[in-house]
Amino acid sequence: MKQVLILGQGGREHALARCFKKSPTISHVFVAPGNPGMKDVAQCVDLDIMDFNALISWIKSQCIDLVFVGPEAPLSAGVVDALEAHDIHVFGPRAASARIESSKSFAKSIMKKYHIPTAHYVDIKSLEEGLEALLKYPAPIVIKADGLMAGKGVVVAMSDEEAKDALHKMFSHSDVNHIVMEEYLEGEEFSLMAFVFEDVVIPCDVAKDYKRAYDNDQGPNTGGMGAYSPVPSIPQWAIDEAIEKIMKPMAKAMVSEGIAFKGILYGGMMLTKEGVKTIEFNVRFGDPETEVLCSRLITPLDQVIEKVLNKEHFELEFDSQFALGVVLASKGYPESYTKHHPIQGLDIIKCEVCHMGTGYNQGFITQGGRVLFVMDKAETLEEARLNVYNEIKNIQCEQLFYRTDIGLLKEKMYD
Ligand code: AMP
Ligand code: GLY
């Protein structure tokens, strides 16, 4: 029996904790720092996950068998390198390969070198350069800050005015001195995540995320406002294409570049009229895609990791049911919002709830931008959707909002 420690504190980590807890070979799940809503399955440990020395001494003292890293920040700061230097068994990429998420420009340069399908782009180092490039490549155009921005550093500009505004705003931000301007891709988005070790790529089923804050894909980009899996509108040929032309070549490219990957490789994909193209790579499980995938994953998570690290080729087993979930976020998110508002009704909810950002003060309170993820599994997407929206009505908190169109299918675009 093994003890696992998950680093992170959101809905993704709550779902991962549940998933590990289900495994017959896991005896105990710790999450650092976790959140009060996870106590149903895990023991929260009050550790700063960016303080690697503190992490190492705690892990050693508790005889932890496996560490799983949830969020991007400790990965790009080198938590895996630090833990491995102390012979700790950790699943996640080292800092050098985590750069494909933290630097959009680095990821684009690898895609270009290895002919991995993606949008055409230019690197921009100043406001003047950006404004000049806009004359050559007018809107629609996509502007991406080069750095970790929690999914909020991307502006899809449909007019030149919007693009100029985004350039001004990004270059006035103290953390931004480099951006990528790229071709606007039209099509249907999906998320493909895979367990990767060097050139071994074991893909999960696909999931769909909703990036914009409001209904009908309006409003600013967020970390994700809802998700479901599987995704019937994405045909199998497109999934195969994404695996064969994007995920496997990227894993191989990283081996060739001397930055072999170990961990979860997340491909943000767009199914366009010219085939599947990469929107971005992340180096960790997506949130909230993980919540819906974990509720469908049948193969025990720790066993998946062991097999991947042994370079075995195998297929993951997923429940054939549809999982769908909706994020309840603090009003104002992804910009500023207030915290510590009481949440009522959680005790009578019949669906699964992942805590994304709750605190506790005589009852659950809001603590983050994204607060709760309410989800259900059913034979059809429609049934899962109806169940979730029915249950959400029981949650009372004036400071929360949610999208009402998660899982509402639009017309199928491609066969
Ligand atoms: P990213 O952080 O790169 O995934 O971008 C956030 C969101 O912006 C994506 O999920 C897409 O919805 C949108 N986006 C990013 N790049 C493009 C692109 N080249 N064309 C169209 N939409 C994009
Ligand atoms: N939901 C998208 C992400 O985790 O980046």
Side-chain angles (χ1 to χ4, degrees):
M1 295 294 269
K2 289 179 278 182
Q3 304 201 94
V4 62
L5 168 69
I6 302 167
L7 303 186
Q9 59 182 352
R12 165 182 51 210
E13 287 75 20
H14 193 180
L16 287 167
R18 277 198 185 121
C19 215
F20 276 120
K21 186 75 185 170
K22 279 193 309 213
S23 166
T25 39
I26 293 285
S27 60
H28 205 86
V29 181
F30 295 94
V31 188
N35 72 47
M38 297 177 187
K39 291 187 177 157
D40 57 338
V41 281
Q43 185 176 337
C44 296
V45 193
D46 190 16
L47 283 169
D48 174 359
I49 58 172
M50 301 304 277
D51 180 348
F52 302 160
N53 288 333
L55 274 181
I56 291 162
S57 9
W58 186 87
I59 291 165
K60 293 264 180 195
S61 73
Q62 297 292 320
C63 304
I64 297 294
D65 300 285
L66 171 67
V67 179
F68 190 99
V69 190
E72 58 272 35
L75 290 169
S76 53
V79 71
V80 172
D81 312 56
L83 268 53
E84 281 180 344
H86 286 79
D87 297 322
I88 293 168
H89 187 36
V90 50
F91 195 67
R94 296 185 185 151
S97 34
R99 239 185 112 205
I100 62 161
E101 172 162 359
S102 58
S103 170
K104 302 267 187 201
S105 161
F106 179 61
K108 293 296 274 190
S109 66
I110 294 190
M111 286 188 261
K112 190 171 175 186
K113 182 167 170 190
Y114 292 89
H115 310 290
I116 295 169
T118 188
H120 296 295
Y121 76 106
V122 278
D123 270 318
I124 302 287
K125 297 267 173 51
S126 69
L127 175 62
E128 293 67 38
E129 243 184 86
L131 294 172
E132 210 176 304
L134 194 57
L135 297 173
K136 206 163 153 198
Y137 309 107
I141 188 100
V142 181
I143 299 176
K144 301 185 172 184
D146 192 60
L148 285 181
M149 309 285 285
K152 291 163 240 164
V154 173
V155 173
V156 179
M158 298 312 284
S159 69
D160 284 355
E161 279 317 301
E162 248 183 289
K164 279 183 203 159
D165 192 45
L167 285 168
H168 278 281
K169 278 201 185 122
M170 283 192 193
F171 278 111
S172 66
H173 202 288
S174 59
D175 298 337
V176 178
N177 51 24
H178 187 171
I179 65 158
V180 164
M181 261 170 92
E182 72 176 35
E183 175 198 5
Y184 171 73
L185 297 176
E186 224 176 329
E188 181 163 2
E189 256 186 274
F190 61 100
S191 309
L192 177 59
M193 287 172 276
F195 292 80
V196 174
F197 180 50
E198 298 176 353
D199 59 348
V200 177
V201 175
I202 309 291
C204 294
D205 269 6
V206 297
K208 187 158 186 75
D209 181 22
Y210 289 73
K211 293 268 164 53
R212 299 295 190 111
Y214 314 127
D215 282 3
N216 299 316
D217 293 331
Q218 300 298 304
N221 268 318
T222 68
M225 295 298 289
Y228 65 83
S229 171
V231 188
S233 56
I234 302 297
Q236 189 57 44
W237 65 258
I239 300 171
D240 295 342
E241 192 174 303
I243 295 168
E244 298 303 325
K245 294 199 175 154
I246 295 175
M247 301 298 280
K248 288 185 181 172
M250 189 60 178
K252 281 204 180 109
M254 285 194 279
V255 173
S256 306
E257 291 293 304
I259 50 167
F261 195 88
K262 175 185 68 169
I264 306 296
L265 184 62
Y266 169 122
M269 308 286 176
M270 186 79 90
L271 174 52
T272 73
K273 289 198 171 112
E274 291 104 47
V276 182
K277 295 193 181 177
T278 320
I279 295 177
E280 65 165 349
F281 283 111
N282 292 328
V283 297
R284 42 139 190 114
F285 265 131
D287 191 355
E289 292 96 322
T290 304
E291 287 88 316
V292 287
L293 279 176
C294 276
S295 81
R296 295 185 52 232
L297 182 64
I298 294 170
T299 327
L301 192 48
D302 57 312
Q303 292 172 23
V304 174
I305 293 168
E306 286 313 317
K307 283 186 187 191
V308 176
L309 294 176
N310 287 331
K311 299 197 120 193
E312 280 178 48
H313 290 264
F314 63 100
E315 277 195 20
L316 294 172
E317 199 186 341
F318 284 95
D319 185 338
S320 61
Q321 287 195 318
F322 287 87
L324 176 143
V326 175
V327 171
L328 279 76
S330 295
K331 282 183 185 163
Y333 172 79
E335 272 102 42
S336 59
Y337 52 84
T338 57
K339 296 181 185 175
H340 306 152
H341 301 282
I343 307 166
Q344 255 111 40
L346 278 172
D347 44 337
I348 54 165
I349 292 280
K350 289 191 218 85
C351 328
E352 189 177 333
V353 177
C354 291
H355 286 243
M356 302 184 101
T358 55
Y360 198 85
N361 182 7
Q362 295 172 343
F364 286 111
I365 53 172
T366 63
Q367 184 71 43
R370 293 187 296 172
V371 179
L372 294 166
F373 187 71
V374 179
M375 75 174 162
D376 197 33
K377 252 188 340 182
E379 289 303 324
T380 66
L381 194 57
E382 184 60 7
E383 195 186 333
R385 191 177 74 78
L386 292 174
N387 291 348
V388 168
Y389 280 112
N390 235 346
E391 289 299 316
I392 282 183
K393 290 192 202 124
N394 292 318
I395 297 181
Q396 278 133 35
C397 177
E398 281 191 0
Q399 286 306 314
L400 291 177
F401 80 99
Y402 57 90
R403 279 182 63 154
T404 63
D405 62 348
I406 305 301
L408 258 189
L409 298 183
K410 291 188 214 137
E411 251 174 70
K412 197 171 170 187
M413 294 170 71
Y414 305 94
D415 284 317

